[in-house]
Amino acid sequence: MSTSAHETALLRQARWRPLEFVVWAAAFVLPFLVPSHSLLVNEIVIVALFAMSLDLILGYTGIVSLGHAAFFGFGAYAAALFAKLVMPDPLVGLLFATVLSAALGLVASVTILRGSDLTRLMVTLGTALLLLELANKLDWLTGGADGLQGVVMGPLLGRFEFDLYGRTAAWYSLSVMLLLFLGMRRLVHSPFGATLKAIRDNRLRAMAIGIPVVSRLAVVYTVAAGIAGAAGALLAQTTGFASLDVLAFDRSADVLLMLVIGGVGWLYGGVAGAIVFKLLQTWLSNVTPQYWMFWIGLILVLLVLVGRDRLLKPWALLGAGRAKKGGAR
Amino acid sequence: MLTILFDGIAYGMLLFVLAVGLAVTLGLMNFINLAHGAFAMAGGYLTVFAMQKLGLPFLACLPLAFIAAALAGALLERTLYRPMYGKPHLDQVLFSIGLAFMAVAAVDYFVGSSQQNVQLPEWLRGRTEIGDGALLLGMGHYRLFIIAVCAVLTVVLQLILSKTRFGSRLRAAVDDPRVAAGLGINVNVVFLLTFAVGSGLAGLGGALGAEILGLDPTFPLKYMIYFLIVVSVGGTSSITGPLAAALLLGIADVAGKYFIPKMGAFTVYLLMILILMWRPQGLFTRKGGR
């Protein structure tokens, strides 16, 4: 009986709330309402998808990564090169880039299985830096420091051309994000997702109750890499450009920050973080173009000092106070 | 050949001084401090300005850089770092990288983004050559100076850690702060001093390294990865682990850039990943403890 009770609990978490429908509908209407900001919408959607993929490994599995841009950049280059050398169809290119990034993730997952947080920080960072060096040195293929230019995309589904204002791009990215989001949501609310959280909370205990920790970590890392690759592919396809910056350390740090601002272990956290981050970035870099880094640093420090959870849910502050005074709640 | 080895050793020694403070905070106190490079940058800039503006001699600037960085470290430890000790690693990463970002932007704002140069005194600028052919050993005097300073520092640090009362207090405080406090060790003071010395060493390293590594506002981020490699590859046994790692890294980097320039830093990153996959806790680990 208890199994079915657990199943209903999982199903209840997985149920869609009315607000979610509203949010998604609003997102799809946005390019209609503010066509001039479609490019920004597109950009936000891409980084939101990227942040979600990081959440799979950080928020749900507890693996701290400083090099998630490895997969993002790999997907971007894969999609750009595919369009340039093989065929310009965006969907085939997206699939190609996703599968290739997932394969890279599977290979790279070997590096995160052992060691402490520090070891994982270092090997994830190292992987991203390796790819960055590679993309820089293989300039006959990737264009080196100048970036890979002249990526021309064919029309979407053979009908919808990518226009200058980015409306097609925004809808394309939104649709891809919705599909991948549904997949991720299914994943984290499944028994598989529950085992990930068990690994995050206590790896030793997870191992002791018979969860195959190594294979679970490999699978989730592969999936996250594939999705990050898809996000990178979307960026390359909609901007028609891929440069070293997609693999840079800043990308990894930014996405980590977005996710933390939005809240880890919550798929919408990535979306919320991406929106806040991008709007903040657009605003701050207008005000102080050069010293945007200072403010980002200040936000990070304050965020941690105040406490990530409390910033996210201000009412928890009240709750903590009450719990201290009254004891039980 | 020998010249490359020599340069590699000098580079490695320099990295060691820069990273040894981090080795203590990160390796021993288990605090991931990505802002360590900011202290090194502070030491470097202080040296540059003390020499340019105040006309102090280079040798006088070195202890000054150490003291200033140590004071800054002590101040930050007392105010900002201490509440972070018990937090999860993710929080420490975010916090310290935020500090590093702020330092980079602040330096950019106050002194500009151009590269700063250190004017070495005359007696450090020369170069001595011994032998010839494949065995030619060309020693830059400044590199020789760095090796000498770093060797002395290494020995002194090792002695402090293993032979003095403070060293044993530190090791006790690190292994189990509660029991150490129960034995009458003032853990807070021990950590404060350790952190200050670590930051001071970073400042000294920055002052020494400004000539070789270059000094501009992106310094903390550019070399962060190298410090972290030294510590993670070296492990946390004592300071010999990071020393070995720094030497390995320095020689591999110099040799890699000399023999296969097209590979750039590729060699170093690959080496690190392979070592960490082989021994996730670093080359030298300490038995017991945690």
Side-chain angles (χ1 to χ4, degrees):
Chain A
M1 280 304 110
S2 69
T3 331
S4 76
H6 288 311
E7 273 169 17
T8 25
L10 280 175
L11 283 176
R12 195 164 50 235
Q13 283 175 15
R15 198 177 295 151
W16 275 68
R17 287 165 188 75
L19 189 64
E20 295 180 54
F21 289 104
V22 178
V23 169
W24 281 99
F28 272 91
V29 175
L30 264 181
F32 266 126
L33 291 178
V34 278
S36 54
H37 287 78
S38 295
L39 283 174
L40 185 64
V41 172
N42 180 45
E43 212 176 311
I44 290 180
V45 168
I46 288 169
V47 291
L49 187 61
F50 185 31
M52 271 190 221
S53 77
L54 179 63
D55 202 14
L56 277 187
I57 53 174
L58 177 69
Y60 288 94
T61 323
I63 290 173
V64 189
S65 167
L66 264 187
H68 205 48
F71 307 113
F72 184 80
F74 191 70
Y77 272 107
L81 286 171
F82 186 82
K84 207 169 178 180
L85 305 175
V86 189
M87 61 185 287
D89 186 80
L91 287 180
V92 182
L94 177 67
L95 195 68
F96 174 78
T98 310
V99 171
L100 217 60
S101 312
L104 179 70
L106 186 62
V107 175
S109 71
V110 186
T111 61
I112 56 145
L113 296 177
R114 298 173 52 186
S116 58
D117 276 351
L118 172 66
T119 317
R120 276 193 287 272
L121 273 180
M122 291 314 295
V123 292
T124 48
L125 185 58
T127 313
L129 288 170
L130 269 187
L131 285 182
L132 181 68
E133 284 289 323
L134 214 57
N136 191 13
K137 299 292 170 189
L138 299 176
D139 40 13
W140 51 272
L141 184 68
T142 61
D146 297 332
L148 189 68
Q149 281 158 356
V151 180
V152 182
M153 295 312 302
L156 194 59
L157 298 171
R159 287 186 56 192
F160 305 102
E161 289 280 351
F162 285 100
D163 52 7
L164 216 57
Y165 308 105
R167 282 170 76 173
T168 317
W171 276 315
Y172 172 48
S173 301
L174 269 168
S175 316
V176 174
M177 174 164 84
L178 179 59
L179 279 178
L180 290 175
F181 172 78
L182 290 175
M184 276 188 273
R185 205 185 144 93
R186 185 76 196 82
L187 188 78
V188 300
H189 289 310
S190 66
F192 177 88
T195 59
L196 292 185
K197 286 173 219 163
I199 294 171
R200 171 192 68 190
D201 292 341
N202 191 332
R203 196 167 172 161
L204 212 59
R205 191 167 59 198
M207 228 180 266
I209 59 174
I211 294 171
V213 171
V214 168
S215 68
R216 291 289 145 105
L217 287 178
V219 169
V220 75
Y221 206 62
T222 307
V223 172
I227 292 169
L234 287 178
L235 183 74
Q237 290 181 337
T238 52
T239 56
F241 182 66
S243 68
L244 291 180
D245 134 85
V246 290
L247 283 163
F249 172 70
D250 303 30
R251 282 263 173 201
S252 303
D254 285 354
V255 72
L256 192 62
L257 175 59
M258 272 176 233
L259 188 59
V260 169
I261 291 179
V264 291
W266 182 51
L267 286 179
Y268 283 111
V271 185
I275 295 173
V276 172
F277 184 90
K278 272 288 163 197
L279 294 182
L280 209 65
Q281 189 184 33
T282 314
W283 178 63
L284 276 178
S285 48
N286 277 336
V287 183
T288 53
Q290 233 181 320
Y291 309 110
W292 134 255
M293 214 175 183
F294 180 85
W295 300 107
I296 212 178
L298 187 66
I299 293 169
L300 271 174
V301 170
L302 289 180
L303 198 70
V304 180
L305 283 180
V306 172
R308 286 184 279 131
D309 299 336
R310 272 182 264 176
L311 197 78
L312 197 67
K313 305 180 208 140
W315 59 89
L317 208 71
L318 288 171
R322 216 169 5 189
K324 241 179 231 164
K325 246 182 261 167
R329 265 217 312 151
Chain B
M1 281 300 290
L2 284 179
T3 308
I4 296 169
L5 192 66
F6 175 80
D7 280 355
I9 292 174
Y11 187 45
M13 284 296 222
L14 188 59
L15 283 178
F16 174 69
V17 174
L18 278 163
V20 70
L22 186 66
V24 174
T25 45
L26 200 157
L28 292 177
M29 288 153 75
N30 202 15
F31 182 91
I32 299 186
N33 181 15
L34 299 187
H36 189 74
F39 294 106
M41 179 171 68
Y45 271 102
L46 193 91
T47 306
V48 167
F49 287 120
M51 288 175 72
Q52 280 176 2
K53 301 271 154 67
L54 304 176
L56 289 179
F58 180 69
L59 279 187
C61 291
L62 294 180
L64 207 63
F66 176 87
I67 292 166
L71 284 180
L75 189 70
L76 282 176
E77 200 272 352
R78 189 66 196 84
T79 50
L80 290 176
Y81 276 92
R82 193 173 293 171
M84 290 292 135
Y85 287 151
K87 296 250 176 124
H89 282 150
L90 176 61
D91 278 353
Q92 298 174 351
V93 166
L94 294 169
F95 169 77
S96 54
I97 209 165
L99 281 186
F101 279 178
M102 284 166 77
V104 168
V107 168
D108 196 347
Y109 179 77
F110 285 114
V111 298
S113 58
S114 59
Q115 179 129 7
Q116 301 287 339
N117 289 317
V118 173
Q119 280 298 317
L120 290 178
E122 201 56 56
W123 58 276
L124 280 176
R125 275 192 222 155
R127 185 180 155 94
T128 308
E129 287 185 355
I130 304 173
D132 58 320
L135 289 174
L136 176 78
L137 171 62
M139 299 182 292
H141 289 170
Y142 186 57
R143 287 185 161 74
L144 210 57
F145 174 71
I146 285 182
I147 293 183
V149 171
C150 297
V152 170
L153 272 178
T154 311
V155 173
V156 170
L157 279 176
Q158 180 66 30
L159 285 178
I160 290 178
L161 274 178
S162 58
K163 293 282 191 290
T164 62
R165 183 170 282 261
F166 181 80
S168 54
R169 279 190 180 147
L170 173 64
R171 281 176 285 135
V174 161
D175 276 346
D176 195 329
R178 282 182 61 196
V179 173
L183 289 170
I185 296 171
N186 192 338
V187 176
N188 278 344
V189 171
V190 171
F191 278 2
L192 178 71
L193 284 175
T194 310
F195 194 90
V197 171
S199 311
L201 284 170
L204 178 63
L208 279 173
E211 157 78 10
I212 291 179
L213 306 177
L215 189 65
D216 63 52
T218 59
F219 186 90
L221 297 177
K222 207 157 54 181
Y223 289 97
M224 180 186 85
I225 175 90
Y226 282 87
F227 308 152
L228 286 170
I229 293 177
V230 168
V231 178
S232 58
V233 168
T236 59
S237 59
S238 60
I239 57 171
T240 39
L243 176 65
L247 288 177
L248 186 69
L249 180 68
I251 294 169
D253 202 32
V254 171
K257 278 176 181 154
Y258 181 81
F259 288 114
I260 9 177
K262 267 210 90 75
M263 297 287 280
F266 199 86
T267 353
V268 172
Y269 302 144
L270 195 66
L271 194 67
M272 171 194 75
I273 292 181
L274 291 178
I275 290 178
L276 284 182
M277 282 174 69
W278 169 49
R279 304 199 64 157
Q281 307 298 336
L283 286 174
F284 303 88
T285 45
R286 192 164 47 138
K287 294 202 181 67
R290 244 178 331 265

